Amino acid sequence: MITILVVEDDLPISNLIKLNLNVANYNAVTVYNGEDALKMIEDDRFDLILLDVMLPKMDGYTLLEKIKPLGIPVIFITAKSSVTDKVYGLRAGADDYISKPFEGIELLARIENVLRHYNKKSNRVIFKDLEIDLAEMKVIKRGEVVELTLKEFELLAFLVQNLNVVLTRERLIEKIWGFDYFGETRTVDNHIQKLRRKLDLYDNIKTVFKLGYRLEES
């Protein structure tokens, strides 16, 4: 799983960023000042750093200078929104620069773009005790491969990629079975039951009355 370090001293913003990252299946680690961030970066492995410019103890520019030799991609997050500030940040070595306030979807798009550039976008997703390999279309539960049909796997992957989002039966049919599918929506229910049984997801795949389903972390 991709691990992202969030270096942000504003606690509400830090918590909101972490929530958005977790929903998108990233592992988010938070820290609130430059000196502690540097220690964590030296001790642990991170795939990307979201870095505020104005930080206690050590500002973002100074921290970036110290970690550049490690080759970790960095996205600046700052209230400074002028073109001059953006150019300065990019010339300092940041891979991208996003100004506050920003929408979560914009932040996630920028993260995906930077990770793609570094070839770090993971093809593996972890949910509970499941390891889902999107490239090989394989699910491993507690070290054992679980046999799923193609549609079962595609349905599981779509649920995991939309964690905590209500997905209607119509949306699932459109995404998994295609626009030209003329069967009954009951097929979605049947596949959901099989996933619950095969992967022990009874407490996680919730039925949303008259709508569809939502995958939740128990």
Side-chain angles (χ1 to χ4, degrees):
M1 179 180 283
I2 295 292
T3 300
I4 297 176
L5 180 65
V6 182
V7 191
E8 167 62 67
D9 65 319
D10 188 309
L11 188 58
I13 294 177
S14 177
N15 289 339
L16 182 59
I17 292 173
K18 183 174 182 177
L19 176 63
N20 277 276
L21 294 178
N22 288 341
V23 169
N25 295 310
Y26 294 113
N27 179 35
V29 178
T30 54
V31 64
Y32 309 106
N33 68 72
E35 288 186 359
D36 288 346
L38 181 59
K39 292 176 184 177
M40 293 181 69
I41 293 165
E42 291 173 340
D43 293 339
D44 298 310
R45 171 192 168 275
F46 297 100
D47 297 288
L48 183 140
I49 299 171
L50 299 178
L51 179 59
D52 189 14
V53 172
M54 304 301 294
L55 290 168
K57 297 186 179 180
M58 182 187 300
D59 66 78
Y61 293 127
T62 302
L63 179 58
L64 177 61
E65 191 65 30
K66 293 180 179 295
I67 63 178
K68 272 197 300 187
L70 301 176
I72 305 172
V74 173
I75 298 177
F76 269 138
I77 298 177
T78 177
K80 294 185 174 183
S81 58
S82 72
V83 173
T84 301
D85 288 323
K86 290 181 180 180
V87 170
Y88 184 83
L90 293 171
R91 284 181 173 171
D95 295 271
D96 203 348
Y97 190 111
I98 185 168
S99 301
K100 304 173 188 175
F102 51 81
E103 296 292 335
I105 191 170
E106 179 187 3
L107 177 62
L108 293 175
R110 290 175 181 269
I111 288 172
E112 289 180 6
N113 184 60
V114 170
L115 290 174
R116 191 180 303 113
H117 178 74
Y118 277 78
N119 292 318
K120 288 193 174 188
K121 186 62 178 175
S122 177
N123 285 319
R124 292 192 310 120
V125 178
I126 305 297
F127 180 77
K128 285 187 62 181
D129 57 354
L130 303 177
E131 179 181 328
I132 304 163
D133 192 318
L134 301 175
E136 296 187 12
M137 304 184 72
K138 181 171 63 176
V139 176
I140 299 174
K141 180 180 176 70
R142 298 172 187 168
E144 299 289 334
V145 176
V146 180
E147 296 297 334
L148 298 180
T149 67
L150 175 60
K151 294 305 180 187
E152 289 169 357
F153 180 87
E154 291 177 345
L155 180 58
L156 173 66
F158 193 59
L159 288 169
V160 170
Q161 290 167 339
N162 290 274
L163 192 63
N164 299 317
V165 176
V166 176
L167 299 170
T168 66
R169 290 176 175 84
E170 291 74 18
R171 175 88 187 280
L172 291 170
I173 284 179
E174 174 187 310
K175 180 67 179 180
I176 308 304
W177 283 270
F179 289 102
D180 55 351
Y181 177 78
F182 293 106
E184 298 180 356
T185 56
R186 183 65 184 169
T187 191
V188 175
D189 302 331
N190 292 335
H191 280 73
I192 289 291
Q193 290 303 322
K194 290 175 182 177
L195 288 180
R196 283 170 170 162
R197 185 179 68 254
K198 289 184 177 182
L199 302 173
D200 189 22
L201 293 176
Y202 294 101
D203 294 332
N204 301 97
I205 303 179
K206 304 293 186 180
T207 301
V208 182
F209 184 62
K210 290 188 178 181
L211 284 176
Y213 298 95
R214 178 178 61 240
L215 181 67
E216 300 178 353
E217 290 183 290
S218 58

